[in-house]
Amino acid sequence: MMLQGRTALVTGGSRGIGAAVVRRLAAHGARVVFTYRDRRDKATELAAELDGAAVPVRADQAAVSAVDDMFAPVRDGLDIFVSNAAINPRGAISDLTADDFDHVMAVNAKIPLLAMGRAATLMRDNGRIVAVSTVNTVLPAASHALYAASKAALEQFTKVAAREFGARGITVNTVSPGATRTDLFTSLNPPEAAGLAAAVTALGRLGDPDDVAAVVALLASPDAHWITGQNIRACGGYLL
């Protein structure tokens, strides 16, 4: 119960990696608020599963109002902020529009940046901020231009934030998953993709959301007080 008495906010926490992070932080004793956009059913199920240890709140990161929405339940103080919510609408560069750019950058970069700043104003000293990125920022893939670029911006935000918030003992880090078995991975890739990814991963398998959540929980813990401004690639050796 290393997080007993601490309050956490996790964006995009109703499924996939986000839900695994919510479960992990709650298991360690934290009171967890998590956001969802469309999947109210999944959010409600997760809250019921955790029996009061987690509270869902709807926030659509396509709108600036999402910042007020997500922080409303934690105005009394915050210890951990996990920026996980993101979108990845694939598209070839020649097909992308200005609206595509604005939408992806808003959800994946602008709102996380504003939320990081809001989190710092509410956060007690020695807090933890963790942003979820992707190995695609250093392993470019066709049709991922906006996703990779938006996550690269997020990685830079965390490094600057580590400098700005460090005097208060607040650590700011990034976790970059590799190929991870989520609904998003399954929906965006052909059936053979899982096997191909596992074949080039040093640990010989696809990642699970719990694998990534364990690293996030480590960075959110008191034991991570001397780790800040880092990008931890939680990918099982998918990228070496």
Side-chain angles (χ1 to χ4, degrees), residues 3 8-35 43 46-47 49-50 53-56 82 84 209-210 213 216-217:
L3 301 179
L9 172 60
V10 180
T11 67
S14 63
R15 55 182 177 162
I17 291 172
V21 170
V22 171
R23 289 188 180 96
R24 181 70 64 133
L25 298 182
H28 286 312
R31 167 205 172 209
V32 185
V33 174
F34 68 94
T35 73
L46 180 57
E49 172 193 329
L50 296 176
V55 178
V82 180
N84 169 71
D210 284 343
V216 173

Short mmCIF file of all heavy atoms in Angstrom, two decimals, residues 3 8-35 43 46-47 49-50 53-56 82 84 209-210 213 216-217:
data_model
loop_
_atom_site.label_atom_id
_atom_site.label_comp_id
_atom_site.label_asym_id
_atom_site.label_seq_id
_atom_site.Cartn_x
_atom_site.Cartn_y
_atom_site.Cartn_z
N LEU A 3 0.99 3.73 -1.83
CA LEU A 3 0.35 4.98 -2.23
C LEU A 3 -0.84 5.32 -1.34
O LEU A 3 -1.68 6.15 -1.70
CB LEU A 3 -0.11 4.90 -3.70
CG LEU A 3 1.00 4.64 -4.72
CD1 LEU A 3 0.44 4.56 -6.12
CD2 LEU A 3 2.09 5.71 -4.64
N ALA A 8 -4.71 10.28 -7.10
CA ALA A 8 -4.18 10.19 -8.45
C ALA A 8 -5.25 10.56 -9.47
O ALA A 8 -6.44 10.28 -9.25
CB ALA A 8 -3.66 8.79 -8.73
N LEU A 9 -4.84 11.15 -10.57
CA LEU A 9 -5.71 11.41 -11.71
C LEU A 9 -5.08 10.76 -12.94
O LEU A 9 -3.91 11.01 -13.25
CB LEU A 9 -5.87 12.92 -11.94
CG LEU A 9 -6.60 13.35 -13.22
CD1 LEU A 9 -8.02 12.81 -13.25
CD2 LEU A 9 -6.60 14.88 -13.34
N VAL A 10 -5.86 9.92 -13.61
CA VAL A 10 -5.39 9.20 -14.80
C VAL A 10 -6.32 9.55 -15.96
O VAL A 10 -7.54 9.34 -15.87
CB VAL A 10 -5.41 7.68 -14.58
CG1 VAL A 10 -4.92 6.94 -15.85
CG2 VAL A 10 -4.56 7.30 -13.38
N THR A 11 -5.79 10.10 -17.05
CA THR A 11 -6.64 10.38 -18.21
C THR A 11 -6.71 9.14 -19.11
O THR A 11 -5.77 8.38 -19.22
CB THR A 11 -6.12 11.58 -19.02
OG1 THR A 11 -4.86 11.26 -19.63
CG2 THR A 11 -5.95 12.80 -18.13
N GLY A 12 -7.87 8.98 -19.74
CA GLY A 12 -8.07 7.81 -20.61
C GLY A 12 -7.98 6.52 -19.83
O GLY A 12 -7.32 5.58 -20.26
N GLY A 13 -8.68 6.45 -18.71
CA GLY A 13 -8.52 5.32 -17.80
C GLY A 13 -9.57 4.24 -17.88
O GLY A 13 -9.58 3.35 -17.03
N SER A 14 -10.44 4.28 -18.87
CA SER A 14 -11.55 3.31 -18.89
C SER A 14 -11.19 1.97 -19.51
O SER A 14 -11.89 0.98 -19.31
CB SER A 14 -12.76 3.91 -19.62
OG SER A 14 -12.46 4.17 -20.99
N ARG A 15 -10.08 1.91 -20.26
CA ARG A 15 -9.72 0.64 -20.91
C ARG A 15 -8.25 0.65 -21.27
O ARG A 15 -7.56 1.66 -21.15
CB ARG A 15 -10.57 0.43 -22.17
CG ARG A 15 -10.52 1.56 -23.17
CD ARG A 15 -11.42 1.29 -24.36
NE ARG A 15 -11.43 2.41 -25.30
CZ ARG A 15 -11.85 2.31 -26.54
NH1 ARG A 15 -12.28 1.16 -27.02
NH2 ARG A 15 -11.84 3.37 -27.34
N GLY A 16 -7.76 -0.49 -21.73
CA GLY A 16 -6.39 -0.61 -22.19
C GLY A 16 -5.36 -0.29 -21.12
O GLY A 16 -5.52 -0.64 -19.95
N ILE A 17 -4.29 0.39 -21.53
CA ILE A 17 -3.22 0.73 -20.60
C ILE A 17 -3.75 1.62 -19.48
O ILE A 17 -3.38 1.46 -18.32
CB ILE A 17 -2.07 1.42 -21.36
CG1 ILE A 17 -1.36 0.42 -22.28
CG2 ILE A 17 -1.07 2.05 -20.39
CD1 ILE A 17 -0.34 1.04 -23.22
N GLY A 18 -4.62 2.56 -19.81
CA GLY A 18 -5.16 3.45 -18.80
C GLY A 18 -5.88 2.71 -17.69
O GLY A 18 -5.69 2.99 -16.50
N ALA A 19 -6.72 1.74 -18.05
CA ALA A 19 -7.45 0.96 -17.05
C ALA A 19 -6.49 0.14 -16.20
O ALA A 19 -6.68 -0.01 -14.98
CB ALA A 19 -8.46 0.05 -17.73
N ALA A 20 -5.44 -0.40 -16.82
CA ALA A 20 -4.45 -1.16 -16.06
C ALA A 20 -3.73 -0.26 -15.06
O ALA A 20 -3.44 -0.68 -13.93
CB ALA A 20 -3.44 -1.80 -17.01
N VAL A 21 -3.46 0.99 -15.45
CA VAL A 21 -2.83 1.94 -14.53
C VAL A 21 -3.77 2.25 -13.37
O VAL A 21 -3.36 2.29 -12.20
CB VAL A 21 -2.44 3.23 -15.27
CG1 VAL A 21 -2.01 4.31 -14.28
CG2 VAL A 21 -1.33 2.95 -16.27
N VAL A 22 -5.04 2.47 -13.66
CA VAL A 22 -6.02 2.75 -12.60
C VAL A 22 -6.06 1.60 -11.59
O VAL A 22 -6.01 1.81 -10.38
CB VAL A 22 -7.43 2.98 -13.20
CG1 VAL A 22 -8.49 3.06 -12.10
CG2 VAL A 22 -7.45 4.27 -14.03
N ARG A 23 -6.12 0.38 -12.11
CA ARG A 23 -6.16 -0.79 -11.22
C ARG A 23 -4.90 -0.88 -10.36
O ARG A 23 -4.95 -1.15 -9.17
CB ARG A 23 -6.30 -2.07 -12.04
CG ARG A 23 -7.65 -2.27 -12.70
CD ARG A 23 -7.76 -3.65 -13.34
NE ARG A 23 -9.05 -3.85 -13.97
CZ ARG A 23 -9.30 -3.66 -15.26
NH1 ARG A 23 -8.32 -3.25 -16.08
NH2 ARG A 23 -10.51 -3.87 -15.76
N ARG A 24 -3.76 -0.63 -10.98
CA ARG A 24 -2.49 -0.76 -10.27
C ARG A 24 -2.36 0.29 -9.17
O ARG A 24 -1.97 -0.02 -8.05
CB ARG A 24 -1.34 -0.64 -11.27
CG ARG A 24 0.06 -0.78 -10.69
CD ARG A 24 0.38 -2.18 -10.24
NE ARG A 24 0.38 -3.13 -11.33
CZ ARG A 24 1.33 -4.04 -11.54
NH1 ARG A 24 2.38 -4.10 -10.74
NH2 ARG A 24 1.23 -4.90 -12.53
N LEU A 25 -2.69 1.53 -9.48
CA LEU A 25 -2.58 2.59 -8.47
C LEU A 25 -3.57 2.36 -7.33
O LEU A 25 -3.24 2.58 -6.16
CB LEU A 25 -2.82 3.96 -9.12
CG LEU A 25 -1.82 4.39 -10.20
CD1 LEU A 25 -2.17 5.79 -10.71
CD2 LEU A 25 -0.39 4.35 -9.70
N ALA A 26 -4.78 1.93 -7.68
CA ALA A 26 -5.77 1.64 -6.63
C ALA A 26 -5.32 0.48 -5.76
O ALA A 26 -5.49 0.50 -4.53
CB ALA A 26 -7.13 1.33 -7.27
N ALA A 27 -4.70 -0.52 -6.36
CA ALA A 27 -4.21 -1.67 -5.60
C ALA A 27 -3.13 -1.27 -4.61
O ALA A 27 -2.96 -1.91 -3.56
CB ALA A 27 -3.68 -2.75 -6.55
N HIS A 28 -2.39 -0.20 -4.95
CA HIS A 28 -1.35 0.29 -4.06
C HIS A 28 -1.87 1.30 -3.04
O HIS A 28 -1.10 1.91 -2.31
CB HIS A 28 -0.22 0.92 -4.87
CG HIS A 28 0.65 -0.08 -5.58
ND1 HIS A 28 1.18 -1.18 -4.96
CD2 HIS A 28 1.07 -0.14 -6.88
CE1 HIS A 28 1.90 -1.88 -5.83
NE2 HIS A 28 1.84 -1.27 -7.00
N GLY A 29 -3.19 1.49 -3.02
CA GLY A 29 -3.79 2.31 -1.97
C GLY A 29 -4.21 3.71 -2.35
O GLY A 29 -4.75 4.44 -1.52
N ALA A 30 -3.98 4.12 -3.60
CA ALA A 30 -4.33 5.48 -4.00
C ALA A 30 -5.83 5.63 -4.22
O ALA A 30 -6.53 4.68 -4.60
CB ALA A 30 -3.59 5.87 -5.28
N ARG A 31 -6.32 6.82 -3.98
CA ARG A 31 -7.66 7.20 -4.43
C ARG A 31 -7.49 7.68 -5.86
O ARG A 31 -6.69 8.59 -6.13
CB ARG A 31 -8.21 8.33 -3.56
CG ARG A 31 -9.45 9.01 -4.12
CD ARG A 31 -9.57 10.44 -3.57
NE ARG A 31 -10.63 11.18 -4.24
CZ ARG A 31 -10.64 12.48 -4.42
NH1 ARG A 31 -9.64 13.22 -3.96
NH2 ARG A 31 -11.64 13.08 -5.03
N VAL A 32 -8.19 7.07 -6.81
CA VAL A 32 -7.95 7.34 -8.22
C VAL A 32 -9.18 7.94 -8.89
O VAL A 32 -10.28 7.39 -8.80
CB VAL A 32 -7.55 6.05 -8.98
CG1 VAL A 32 -7.18 6.38 -10.43
CG2 VAL A 32 -6.41 5.34 -8.28
N VAL A 33 -8.99 9.07 -9.54
CA VAL A 33 -9.98 9.64 -10.44
C VAL A 33 -9.48 9.38 -11.85
O VAL A 33 -8.29 9.56 -12.13
CB VAL A 33 -10.15 11.15 -10.21
CG1 VAL A 33 -11.07 11.77 -11.25
CG2 VAL A 33 -10.67 11.42 -8.80
N PHE A 34 -10.36 8.91 -12.73
CA PHE A 34 -9.93 8.64 -14.10
C PHE A 34 -10.95 9.18 -15.09
O PHE A 34 -12.14 9.24 -14.81
CB PHE A 34 -9.67 7.15 -14.33
CG PHE A 34 -10.90 6.27 -14.29
CD1 PHE A 34 -11.58 5.94 -15.46
CD2 PHE A 34 -11.37 5.76 -13.09
CE1 PHE A 34 -12.70 5.13 -15.43
CE2 PHE A 34 -12.49 4.94 -13.04
CZ PHE A 34 -13.16 4.62 -14.22
N THR A 35 -10.45 9.58 -16.26
CA THR A 35 -11.32 10.14 -17.28
C THR A 35 -11.66 9.11 -18.34
O THR A 35 -10.96 8.14 -18.56
CB THR A 35 -10.70 11.37 -17.95
OG1 THR A 35 -9.64 10.96 -18.83
CG2 THR A 35 -10.16 12.36 -16.93
N ALA A 43 -16.17 2.61 -18.14
CA ALA A 43 -15.77 3.40 -16.97
C ALA A 43 -16.59 2.98 -15.75
O ALA A 43 -16.04 2.84 -14.64
CB ALA A 43 -15.96 4.88 -17.26
N LEU A 46 -15.43 -0.44 -14.46
CA LEU A 46 -14.15 -0.38 -13.75
C LEU A 46 -14.33 0.21 -12.35
O LEU A 46 -13.76 -0.30 -11.38
CB LEU A 46 -13.15 0.45 -14.56
CG LEU A 46 -11.75 0.60 -13.96
CD1 LEU A 46 -11.09 -0.76 -13.72
CD2 LEU A 46 -10.87 1.46 -14.86
N ALA A 47 -15.13 1.26 -12.25
CA ALA A 47 -15.37 1.86 -10.94
C ALA A 47 -16.04 0.85 -10.00
O ALA A 47 -15.68 0.75 -8.82
CB ALA A 47 -16.24 3.10 -11.09
N GLU A 49 -15.84 -2.43 -10.22
CA GLU A 49 -14.86 -3.48 -9.92
C GLU A 49 -13.94 -3.06 -8.78
O GLU A 49 -13.58 -3.89 -7.92
CB GLU A 49 -14.02 -3.74 -11.18
CG GLU A 49 -12.84 -4.66 -11.00
CD GLU A 49 -11.88 -4.62 -12.18
OE1 GLU A 49 -12.34 -4.40 -13.32
OE2 GLU A 49 -10.66 -4.80 -11.96
N LEU A 50 -13.58 -1.79 -8.73
CA LEU A 50 -12.64 -1.31 -7.72
C LEU A 50 -13.34 -0.83 -6.44
O LEU A 50 -12.68 -0.34 -5.52
CB LEU A 50 -11.77 -0.21 -8.30
CG LEU A 50 -10.87 -0.69 -9.46
CD1 LEU A 50 -10.09 0.46 -10.07
CD2 LEU A 50 -9.91 -1.78 -8.99
N ALA A 53 -12.70 2.70 -4.95
CA ALA A 53 -11.32 3.19 -4.97
C ALA A 53 -11.04 4.05 -6.19
O ALA A 53 -10.01 4.73 -6.24
CB ALA A 53 -10.34 2.02 -4.93
N ALA A 54 -11.93 4.03 -7.17
CA ALA A 54 -11.74 4.81 -8.40
C ALA A 54 -13.04 5.46 -8.81
O ALA A 54 -14.11 4.85 -8.72
CB ALA A 54 -11.22 3.92 -9.52
N VAL A 55 -12.93 6.71 -9.27
CA VAL A 55 -14.11 7.49 -9.65
C VAL A 55 -13.95 7.98 -11.08
O VAL A 55 -12.96 8.64 -11.40
CB VAL A 55 -14.28 8.70 -8.71
CG1 VAL A 55 -15.47 9.55 -9.14
CG2 VAL A 55 -14.43 8.25 -7.27
N PRO A 56 -14.92 7.68 -11.98
CA PRO A 56 -14.80 8.14 -13.36
C PRO A 56 -15.36 9.55 -13.55
O PRO A 56 -16.28 9.97 -12.85
CB PRO A 56 -15.66 7.13 -14.13
CG PRO A 56 -16.71 6.70 -13.14
CD PRO A 56 -16.07 6.77 -11.78
N VAL A 82 -1.31 11.09 -14.26
CA VAL A 82 -0.89 10.24 -15.37
C VAL A 82 -1.62 10.69 -16.63
O VAL A 82 -2.85 10.56 -16.72
CB VAL A 82 -1.16 8.75 -15.10
CG1 VAL A 82 -0.69 7.90 -16.28
CG2 VAL A 82 -0.47 8.31 -13.81
N ASN A 84 -2.50 9.88 -20.06
CA ASN A 84 -2.51 8.69 -20.90
C ASN A 84 -3.41 8.82 -22.13
O ASN A 84 -3.12 8.23 -23.17
CB ASN A 84 -2.97 7.49 -20.06
CG ASN A 84 -3.28 6.26 -20.90
OD1 ASN A 84 -2.38 5.63 -21.44
ND2 ASN A 84 -4.56 5.94 -21.02
N PRO A 209 -1.11 -4.61 -21.13
CA PRO A 209 -1.30 -3.34 -20.42
C PRO A 209 -0.71 -3.36 -19.02
O PRO A 209 -0.15 -2.35 -18.56
CB PRO A 209 -2.82 -3.18 -20.40
CG PRO A 209 -3.28 -3.85 -21.67
CD PRO A 209 -2.36 -5.04 -21.79
N ASP A 210 -0.79 -4.50 -18.33
CA ASP A 210 -0.24 -4.58 -16.98
C ASP A 210 1.28 -4.37 -16.97
O ASP A 210 1.83 -3.87 -15.97
CB ASP A 210 -0.56 -5.94 -16.34
CG ASP A 210 -2.00 -6.03 -15.88
OD1 ASP A 210 -2.65 -4.96 -15.76
OD2 ASP A 210 -2.49 -7.14 -15.64
N ALA A 213 1.62 -0.67 -17.02
CA ALA A 213 1.10 -0.10 -15.78
C ALA A 213 2.07 -0.27 -14.63
O ALA A 213 2.18 0.60 -13.75
CB ALA A 213 -0.25 -0.74 -15.44
N VAL A 216 4.55 2.53 -14.87
CA VAL A 216 3.93 3.79 -14.46
C VAL A 216 3.82 3.85 -12.94
O VAL A 216 4.12 4.88 -12.31
CB VAL A 216 2.53 3.94 -15.10
CG1 VAL A 216 1.81 5.16 -14.54
CG2 VAL A 216 2.65 4.05 -16.62
N ALA A 217 3.38 2.75 -12.33
CA ALA A 217 3.23 2.72 -10.87
C ALA A 217 4.57 2.90 -10.17
O ALA A 217 4.65 3.55 -9.12
CB ALA A 217 2.59 1.40 -10.45
#
